[in-house]
mmCIF file with all atom_site columns, all heavy atoms in Angstrom:
data_model
loop_
_atom_site.group_PDB
_atom_site.id
_atom_site.type_symbol
_atom_site.label_atom_id
_atom_site.label_alt_id
_atom_site.label_comp_id
_atom_site.label_asym_id
_atom_site.label_entity_id
_atom_site.label_seq_id
_atom_site.pdbx_PDB_ins_code
_atom_site.Cartn_x
_atom_site.Cartn_y
_atom_site.Cartn_z
_atom_site.occupancy
_atom_site.B_iso_or_equiv
_atom_site.pdbx_formal_charge
_atom_site.auth_seq_id
_atom_site.auth_comp_id
_atom_site.auth_asym_id
_atom_site.auth_atom_id
_atom_site.pdbx_PDB_model_num
ATOM 1  N N   . CYS A 1 103 ? 125.318 262.542 -81.027 1.00 93.00 ? 122 CYS A N   1
ATOM 2  C CA  . CYS A 1 103 ? 125.122 264.028 -80.934 1.00 93.00 ? 122 CYS A CA  1
ATOM 3  C C   . CYS A 1 103 ? 124.353 264.542 -82.168 1.00 93.00 ? 122 CYS A C   1
ATOM 4  O O   . CYS A 1 103 ? 124.520 264.219 -83.230 1.00 93.00 ? 122 CYS A O   1
ATOM 5  C CB  . CYS A 1 103 ? 126.536 264.567 -80.943 1.00 93.00 ? 122 CYS A CB  1
ATOM 6  S SG  . CYS A 1 103 ? 126.475 266.421 -80.672 1.00 93.00 ? 122 CYS A SG  1
ATOM 7  N N   . ASP A 1 104 ? 123.394 265.406 -81.714 1.00 92.00 ? 123 ASP A N   1
ATOM 8  C CA  . ASP A 1 104 ? 122.528 266.267 -82.757 1.00 92.00 ? 123 ASP A CA  1
ATOM 9  C C   . ASP A 1 104 ? 122.711 267.529 -82.407 1.00 92.00 ? 123 ASP A C   1
ATOM 10 O O   . ASP A 1 104 ? 121.920 268.235 -81.692 1.00 92.00 ? 123 ASP A O   1
ATOM 11 C CB  . ASP A 1 104 ? 121.190 265.751 -82.630 1.00 92.00 ? 123 ASP A CB  1
ATOM 12 C CG  . ASP A 1 104 ? 120.393 266.500 -83.876 1.00 92.00 ? 123 ASP A CG  1
ATOM 13 O OD1 . ASP A 1 104 ? 120.847 267.394 -84.495 1.00 92.00 ? 123 ASP A OD1 1
ATOM 14 O OD2 . ASP A 1 104 ? 119.280 266.044 -84.030 1.00 92.00 ? 123 ASP A OD2 1
ATOM 15 N N   . SER A 1 105 ? 123.861 268.202 -82.756 1.00 91.00 ? 124 SER A N   1
ATOM 16 C CA  . SER A 1 105 ? 124.203 269.629 -82.119 1.00 91.00 ? 124 SER A CA  1
ATOM 17 C C   . SER A 1 105 ? 123.419 270.663 -82.733 1.00 91.00 ? 124 SER A C   1
ATOM 18 O O   . SER A 1 105 ? 123.421 271.721 -82.121 1.00 91.00 ? 124 SER A O   1
ATOM 19 C CB  . SER A 1 105 ? 125.835 269.867 -82.455 1.00 91.00 ? 124 SER A CB  1
ATOM 20 O OG  . SER A 1 105 ? 126.072 270.019 -83.772 1.00 91.00 ? 124 SER A OG  1
ATOM 21 N N   . ALA A 1 106 ? 122.783 270.388 -83.813 1.00 90.00 ? 125 ALA A N   1
ATOM 22 C CA  . ALA A 1 106 ? 121.955 271.549 -84.356 1.00 90.00 ? 125 ALA A CA  1
ATOM 23 C C   . ALA A 1 106 ? 120.585 271.711 -83.523 1.00 90.00 ? 125 ALA A C   1
ATOM 24 O O   . ALA A 1 106 ? 120.006 272.734 -83.611 1.00 90.00 ? 125 ALA A O   1
ATOM 25 C CB  . ALA A 1 106 ? 121.568 271.209 -85.778 1.00 90.00 ? 125 ALA A CB  1
ATOM 26 N N   . ARG A 1 107 ? 120.418 270.667 -82.581 1.00 91.00 ? 126 ARG A N   1
ATOM 27 C CA  . ARG A 1 107 ? 119.215 270.788 -81.833 1.00 91.00 ? 126 ARG A CA  1
ATOM 28 C C   . ARG A 1 107 ? 119.261 270.710 -80.380 1.00 91.00 ? 126 ARG A C   1
ATOM 29 O O   . ARG A 1 107 ? 118.436 271.078 -79.556 1.00 91.00 ? 126 ARG A O   1
ATOM 30 C CB  . ARG A 1 107 ? 118.188 269.548 -82.282 1.00 91.00 ? 126 ARG A CB  1
ATOM 31 C CG  . ARG A 1 107 ? 117.721 269.604 -83.565 1.00 91.00 ? 126 ARG A CG  1
ATOM 32 C CD  . ARG A 1 107 ? 116.413 268.775 -83.850 1.00 91.00 ? 126 ARG A CD  1
ATOM 33 N NE  . ARG A 1 107 ? 116.849 267.253 -83.668 1.00 91.00 ? 126 ARG A NE  1
ATOM 34 C CZ  . ARG A 1 107 ? 116.031 266.500 -83.112 1.00 91.00 ? 126 ARG A CZ  1
ATOM 35 N NH1 . ARG A 1 107 ? 114.878 266.890 -82.402 1.00 91.00 ? 126 ARG A NH1 1
ATOM 36 N NH2 . ARG A 1 107 ? 116.343 265.274 -82.845 1.00 91.00 ? 126 ARG A NH2 1
ATOM 37 N N   . CYS A 1 108 ? 120.606 270.446 -79.888 1.00 94.00 ? 127 CYS A N   1
ATOM 38 C CA  . CYS A 1 108 ? 120.749 270.223 -78.403 1.00 94.00 ? 127 CYS A CA  1
ATOM 39 C C   . CYS A 1 108 ? 121.112 271.453 -77.793 1.00 94.00 ? 127 CYS A C   1
ATOM 40 O O   . CYS A 1 108 ? 121.948 272.162 -78.234 1.00 94.00 ? 127 CYS A O   1
ATOM 41 C CB  . CYS A 1 108 ? 121.896 269.159 -78.237 1.00 94.00 ? 127 CYS A CB  1
ATOM 42 S SG  . CYS A 1 108 ? 122.222 268.917 -76.448 1.00 94.00 ? 127 CYS A SG  1
ATOM 43 N N   . PRO A 1 109 ? 120.542 271.864 -76.636 1.00 92.00 ? 128 PRO A N   1
ATOM 44 C CA  . PRO A 1 109 ? 120.706 273.137 -75.887 1.00 92.00 ? 128 PRO A CA  1
ATOM 45 C C   . PRO A 1 109 ? 122.096 273.280 -75.460 1.00 92.00 ? 128 PRO A C   1
ATOM 46 O O   . PRO A 1 109 ? 122.536 274.275 -74.935 1.00 92.00 ? 128 PRO A O   1
ATOM 47 C CB  . PRO A 1 109 ? 119.739 273.123 -74.867 1.00 92.00 ? 128 PRO A CB  1
ATOM 48 C CG  . PRO A 1 109 ? 119.350 271.585 -74.706 1.00 92.00 ? 128 PRO A CG  1
ATOM 49 C CD  . PRO A 1 109 ? 119.467 270.979 -76.005 1.00 92.00 ? 128 PRO A CD  1
ATOM 50 N N   . GLN A 1 110 ? 122.988 272.239 -75.316 1.00 92.00 ? 129 GLN A N   1
ATOM 51 C CA  . GLN A 1 110 ? 124.172 272.296 -74.803 1.00 92.00 ? 129 GLN A CA  1
ATOM 52 C C   . GLN A 1 110 ? 125.403 272.279 -75.913 1.00 92.00 ? 129 GLN A C   1
ATOM 53 O O   . GLN A 1 110 ? 126.566 272.228 -75.568 1.00 92.00 ? 129 GLN A O   1
ATOM 54 C CB  . GLN A 1 110 ? 124.495 271.045 -73.759 1.00 92.00 ? 129 GLN A CB  1
ATOM 55 C CG  . GLN A 1 110 ? 123.393 270.930 -72.769 1.00 92.00 ? 129 GLN A CG  1
ATOM 56 C CD  . GLN A 1 110 ? 123.867 270.082 -71.651 1.00 92.00 ? 129 GLN A CD  1
ATOM 57 O OE1 . GLN A 1 110 ? 124.043 270.466 -70.511 1.00 92.00 ? 129 GLN A OE1 1
ATOM 58 N NE2 . GLN A 1 110 ? 123.962 268.776 -71.812 1.00 92.00 ? 129 GLN A NE2 1
ATOM 59 N N   . ALA A 1 111 ? 124.980 272.381 -77.079 1.00 93.00 ? 130 ALA A N   1
ATOM 60 C CA  . ALA A 1 111 ? 125.993 272.312 -78.183 1.00 93.00 ? 130 ALA A CA  1
ATOM 61 C C   . ALA A 1 111 ? 126.357 273.756 -78.496 1.00 93.00 ? 130 ALA A C   1
ATOM 62 O O   . ALA A 1 111 ? 125.568 274.788 -78.391 1.00 93.00 ? 130 ALA A O   1
ATOM 63 C CB  . ALA A 1 111 ? 125.340 271.708 -79.453 1.00 93.00 ? 130 ALA A CB  1
ATOM 64 N N   . ILE A 1 112 ? 127.587 273.842 -78.879 1.00 92.00 ? 131 ILE A N   1
ATOM 65 C CA  . ILE A 1 112 ? 128.251 275.184 -79.284 1.00 92.00 ? 131 ILE A CA  1
ATOM 66 C C   . ILE A 1 112 ? 128.944 274.902 -80.602 1.00 92.00 ? 131 ILE A C   1
ATOM 67 O O   . ILE A 1 112 ? 129.669 273.999 -80.754 1.00 92.00 ? 131 ILE A O   1
ATOM 68 C CB  . ILE A 1 112 ? 129.151 275.613 -78.259 1.00 92.00 ? 131 ILE A CB  1
ATOM 69 C CG1 . ILE A 1 112 ? 128.510 275.593 -76.768 1.00 92.00 ? 131 ILE A CG1 1
ATOM 70 C CG2 . ILE A 1 112 ? 129.694 276.987 -78.436 1.00 92.00 ? 131 ILE A CG2 1
ATOM 71 C CD1 . ILE A 1 112 ? 129.523 275.316 -75.662 1.00 92.00 ? 131 ILE A CD1 1
ATOM 72 N N   . HIS A 1 113 ? 128.805 275.893 -81.442 1.00 93.00 ? 132 HIS A N   1
ATOM 73 C CA  . HIS A 1 113 ? 129.458 275.938 -82.733 1.00 93.00 ? 132 HIS A CA  1
ATOM 74 C C   . HIS A 1 113 ? 130.430 277.149 -82.785 1.00 93.00 ? 132 HIS A C   1
ATOM 75 O O   . HIS A 1 113 ? 129.981 278.310 -82.499 1.00 93.00 ? 132 HIS A O   1
ATOM 76 C CB  . HIS A 1 113 ? 128.538 276.000 -83.863 1.00 93.00 ? 132 HIS A CB  1
ATOM 77 C CG  . HIS A 1 113 ? 127.632 274.880 -83.889 1.00 93.00 ? 132 HIS A CG  1
ATOM 78 N ND1 . HIS A 1 113 ? 126.299 274.948 -83.809 1.00 93.00 ? 132 HIS A ND1 1
ATOM 79 C CD2 . HIS A 1 113 ? 127.722 273.516 -84.073 1.00 93.00 ? 132 HIS A CD2 1
ATOM 80 C CE1 . HIS A 1 113 ? 125.672 273.850 -83.906 1.00 93.00 ? 132 HIS A CE1 1
ATOM 81 N NE2 . HIS A 1 113 ? 126.575 273.009 -83.905 1.00 93.00 ? 132 HIS A NE2 1
ATOM 82 N N   . HIS A 1 114 ? 131.686 276.828 -83.072 1.00 90.00 ? 133 HIS A N   1
ATOM 83 C CA  . HIS A 1 114 ? 132.593 277.869 -83.159 1.00 90.00 ? 133 HIS A CA  1
ATOM 84 C C   . HIS A 1 114 ? 133.171 278.085 -84.627 1.00 90.00 ? 133 HIS A C   1
ATOM 85 O O   . HIS A 1 114 ? 132.863 277.182 -85.533 1.00 90.00 ? 133 HIS A O   1
ATOM 86 C CB  . HIS A 1 114 ? 134.001 277.592 -82.446 1.00 90.00 ? 133 HIS A CB  1
ATOM 87 C CG  . HIS A 1 114 ? 133.768 277.645 -80.910 1.00 90.00 ? 133 HIS A CG  1
ATOM 88 N ND1 . HIS A 1 114 ? 133.865 278.697 -80.086 1.00 90.00 ? 133 HIS A ND1 1
ATOM 89 C CD2 . HIS A 1 114 ? 133.185 276.605 -80.058 1.00 90.00 ? 133 HIS A CD2 1
ATOM 90 C CE1 . HIS A 1 114 ? 133.590 278.331 -78.949 1.00 90.00 ? 133 HIS A CE1 1
ATOM 91 N NE2 . HIS A 1 114 ? 133.084 277.243 -78.812 1.00 90.00 ? 133 HIS A NE2 1
#
Side-chain angles (χ1 to χ4, degrees):
C122 182
D123 185 350
S124 72
R126 295 197 297 138
C127 178
Q129 301 196 115
I131 309 155
H132 299 120
H133 291 270

